[in-house]
Amino acid sequence: MKQAAAAQAVDMLIVGAGFAGLYMLLKARRLGLRALVIETAPSVGGTWYHNRYPGARVDIQSMEYSFSFDEALQQEWQWSERYAPQPELLRYANHVADRFGLRDGIRLGTRMSGARFDEAERRWTVRSEDGDCWSARFLVMASGPLSSPNLPDFAGLKDFAGPVYHTADWPHEPVDFGGRRVAVVGTGSSAVQAIPIIAGQAAELTVFQRTAAYAAPAHNAPLDRQLEARIKADYAGFRARNRRMHGGFGSLLPPNPVSALAVSAEEREAAFEARWKIGGFAILGAFNDLLLNPQSNAFVAEFVRGKIRTIVKDPATAALLCPTHTIGCKRLCVDSGYYESFNRPNVRLVDISQAPIERFTATGLRSGGREFGFDALVLATGFDAMTGTMMRLDLRGRGGLPIQQKWHAGPLNYLGLGIAGFPNLFNIAGPGSTSAFTNVIVAIEQHVDWIADCVAHLDRHGLSTIEATAAAEAAWAEHVDAAARRTVFLSCNSWYLGANVPGKPRMFMPLAGGFPQYAERCAQVARNGYEGFALA
Ligand code: N01
């Protein structure tokens, strides 16, 4: 650690150089602010820098999962596939950084260690692990809702003699599984994407499953150039239509506005089948109440289980792969050959739902009194989502209040954007906003635009700080909770609820109320002079 340096003054310190940090930097500069991004990784790209496991690709269609703020950018960029693979997404992030001349405003390889709000100065003092220090009027957390890998505290993990990989922190050198016996722990979205590729490389693959996953086929393919041309002929209109959709995407195929209970069994099956053929999240829009009504949900869940039983040849394996929880309660996975992988002779599935991993050994692991041997281990165990990154920082608001104390029972905030006791700190696409239920780039653009407008408002009115009130924050927590209660999302253990990390407080973190309503609420708050915030 270097000696503590004198603080460099900036107007806005932005944490993270993923899509959120890049766009925030651009907007800050356009406001004339001196802004700096600090980023732990040696590259821009955020999620798409770290999550480079085999098979990693976006689960929202590429034509939708991209920035809309610049017409020339969206016209010139060409995606190669319906769902862009990770290397292409990383190239896109780099392209954005270059195209808008952002690189000189980004300090790579710089990990934030903490920040403290100085009440007399009304500024944040931000520190890096290397001892660098900044004094910033605004602190923007663009650190991402899924950026702290979840590494369960497995007994004996250090004893395992082979290489250990985490899907969310994948090495940058090629990993060769050829001729090796590989184990994958976890069966969420990351595993579902990685398993078909690893299965094709490894001599043997053993998948340790605690909870079976629902996956809908991606039907990935080269991008349909006619569709691209159609969208590009009116990209602005397409984006506007998507922003009116519940999740900020999917206007090409809007949800059916009919209840699954209002039609015959044959009509239901036909609707599910049609949307299964289209792929991705389409199936969850086959009726308007699949994520609201458990009875409707049970129909689509059974439809997918039927698909699993058809795809997977061994009935015992198929039975284990059939989830029993509500579908969509954990994020639906979008796959390319996941269930088919279990038909391969070199792949076996081990159910650890009743017999958790007891410990790792030098040569494998022990579960349910059985020993399993392998040469390499892939942990696809997800993230300490939404709060993990901020809770690991020494982040202190007014009176030195640590974020760990503020959020001891869960992440309190207002609109997901501001935290009482933490003035001039903004959070992008975090808890309390629709982030996880939205095309995240749509969510990012809306947050960044709101923050930029807010900063401009403060400056126009000669104000120095904005801070959520405790009353607005309490009402917002109730709003987020009530939105979740209207859905099936509370019916299983998901990362939305913090249930995947032992000891984490259970609080439903993302807002399930729909992007258009949320965006309108944020806009209304701004129109009404930032009601619910104290401005000084
Ligand atoms: O993580 P997850 P992920 N012992 O939390 C298991 C986004 N994403 O990285 O379900 C044994 O979903 C855990 O089991 P259980 C997307 O939003 C998007 O896969 O908790 N197993 C689960 O099976 C997604 O939702 C894409 O019982 C343990 C798995 O590990 C989010 O990121 C691709 C365990 C973790 O699944 C997270 O996805 C990838 C333990 N102690 C990710 N602890 C796209 O397609 C955990 N597990 C764009």
Side-chain angles (χ1 to χ4, degrees):
M1 185 130 151
K2 281 197 293 188
Q3 279 273 304
Q8 298 165 42
V10 293
D11 298 316
M12 182 181 279
L13 198 287
I14 302 160
V15 184
F19 290 132
L22 293 176
Y23 184 43
M24 189 72 251
L25 176 60
L26 177 65
K27 288 287 283 198
R29 284 180 161 181
R30 287 181 176 172
L31 284 176
L33 302 181
R34 276 171 309 161
L36 177 72
V37 175
I38 58 172
E39 163 61 56
T40 307
S43 160
V44 303
T47 286
W48 299 110
Y49 175 79
H50 294 285
N51 290 266
R52 51 173 65 209
Y53 56 83
R57 65 176 67 249
V58 66
D59 59 2
I60 306 251
Q61 295 189 46
S62 318
M63 291 302 293
E64 306 183 278
Y65 188 85
S66 52
F67 281 124
S68 72
F69 67 80
D70 188 278
E71 177 63 10
L73 170 68
Q74 63 184 4
Q75 288 296 338
E76 79 201 4
W77 185 264
Q78 269 214 323
W79 297 105
S80 62
E81 295 176 55
R82 186 180 188 202
Y83 295 98
Q86 173 271 335
E88 192 169 358
L89 288 154
L90 187 57
R91 276 201 299 282
Y92 178 71
N94 277 282
H95 173 73
V96 170
D98 289 331
R99 192 183 196 293
F100 296 98
L102 299 176
R103 292 201 189 268
D104 61 352
I106 303 171
R107 275 272 308 265
L108 299 171
T110 304
R111 183 183 285 276
M112 175 184 181
S113 60
R116 178 185 276 267
F117 187 68
D118 181 328
E119 291 181 63
E121 297 285 327
R122 298 180 169 194
R123 293 178 74 85
W124 285 94
T125 304
V126 186
R127 294 174 313 282
S128 79
E129 283 187 351
D130 284 342
D132 291 310
C133 185
W134 298 271
S135 165
R137 184 172 162 215
F138 298 104
L139 175 59
V140 179
M141 299 304 297
S143 42
L146 295 164
S147 49
S148 286
N150 172 38
L151 182 60
D153 187 16
F154 288 121
L157 185 57
K158 285 198 170 60
D159 300 340
F160 179 62
V164 179
Y165 307 101
H166 195 296
T167 44
D169 189 16
W170 200 260
H172 288 249
E173 312 74 52
V175 175
D176 182 8
F177 288 123
R180 312 184 81 185
R181 297 171 308 152
V182 181
V184 173
V185 176
T187 50
S189 297
S190 302
V192 160
Q193 289 186 330
I195 281 168
I197 312 287
I198 298 174
Q201 298 170 349
E204 271 177 34
L205 171 62
T206 310
V207 176
F208 294 91
Q209 170 185 282
R210 186 165 74 178
T211 308
Y214 290 100
H219 299 312
N220 189 39
L223 186 65
D224 174 346
R225 294 294 161 203
Q226 285 179 356
L227 175 70
E228 180 189 15
R230 251 193 1 257
I231 289 174
K232 285 188 171 177
D234 177 25
Y235 223 146
F238 179 65
R239 302 291 197 182
R241 287 190 293 282
N242 271 348
R243 278 192 288 269
R244 290 195 288 275
M245 303 300 292
H246 190 271
F249 70 101
S251 64
L252 288 172
L253 181 67
N256 179 1
V258 171
S259 163
L261 305 179
V263 299
S264 68
E266 292 73 27
E267 285 172 277
R268 259 196 313 270
E269 284 297 296
F272 293 148
E273 192 61 51
R275 286 186 176 240
W276 183 263
K277 287 204 172 78
I278 291 162
F281 293 112
I283 190 153
L284 294 181
F287 296 98
N288 68 1
D289 55 353
L290 297 178
L291 295 176
L292 303 176
N293 182 331
Q295 218 185 327
S296 302
N297 188 283
F299 288 128
V300 63
E302 186 49 30
F303 174 84
V304 177
R305 284 191 290 266
K307 289 291 180 192
I308 297 170
R309 288 189 284 262
T310 309
I311 297 168
V312 180
K313 295 198 179 102
D314 172 43
T317 304
L320 285 179
L321 285 169
C322 282
T324 52
H325 55 279
T326 43
I327 182 170
C329 173
K330 291 170 185 268
R331 186 181 169 101
L332 180 67
C333 304
V334 177
D335 83 298
S336 298
Y338 172 64
Y339 297 120
E340 289 82 347
S341 303
F342 294 91
N343 291 332
R344 299 177 63 108
N346 65 332
V347 177
R348 71 172 159 169
L349 181 67
V350 177
D351 173 26
I352 53 168
S353 62
Q354 306 305 318
I357 294 170
E358 284 159 36
R359 64 170 301 110
F360 283 83
T361 63
T363 55
L365 68 76
R366 195 178 307 142
S367 156
R370 293 167 69 197
E371 302 276 346
F372 298 90
F374 42 85
D375 311 314
L377 171 63
V378 175
L379 295 173
T381 47
F383 300 86
D384 183 351
M386 309 219 94
T387 56
T389 301
M390 279 172 67
M391 292 290 267
R392 289 169 199 196
L393 296 172
D394 180 19
L395 181 62
R396 291 166 188 267
R398 276 189 199 283
L401 177 68
I403 191 72
Q404 293 79 4
Q405 194 174 323
K406 171 79 194 187
W407 281 2
H408 74 279
L412 284 177
N413 62 34
Y414 179 42
L415 301 178
L417 282 157
I419 306 171
F422 293 72
N424 286 6
L425 182 151
F426 299 104
N427 199 7
I428 299 180
S433 73
T434 55
S435 62
F437 293 128
T438 317
N439 173 353
V440 79
I441 300 196
V442 171
I444 285 169
E445 288 190 328
Q446 182 255 337
H447 268 186
V448 170
D449 290 346
W450 191 94
I451 294 165
D453 289 347
C454 175
V455 169
H457 175 92
L458 294 179
D459 285 348
R460 261 196 321 275
H461 293 84
L463 297 163
S464 56
T465 58
I466 179 165
E467 177 181 355
T469 66
E473 200 173 65
W476 192 249
E478 279 178 29
H479 177 70
V480 173
D481 184 59
R485 284 185 194 288
R486 285 193 287 273
T487 69
V488 298
F489 292 128
L490 296 174
S491 63
C492 72
N493 287 329
S494 67
W495 60 256
Y496 301 143
L497 201 52
N500 63 326
V501 176
K504 189 164 172 168
R506 299 284 173 107
M507 175 171 169
F508 197 81
M509 295 183 285
L511 172 63
F515 176 77
Q517 293 83 353
Y518 169 70
E520 174 48 30
R521 178 72 185 268
C522 293
Q524 189 186 37
V525 164
R527 281 196 301 274
N528 293 342
Y530 295 89
E531 61 182 1
F533 288 93
L535 277 59

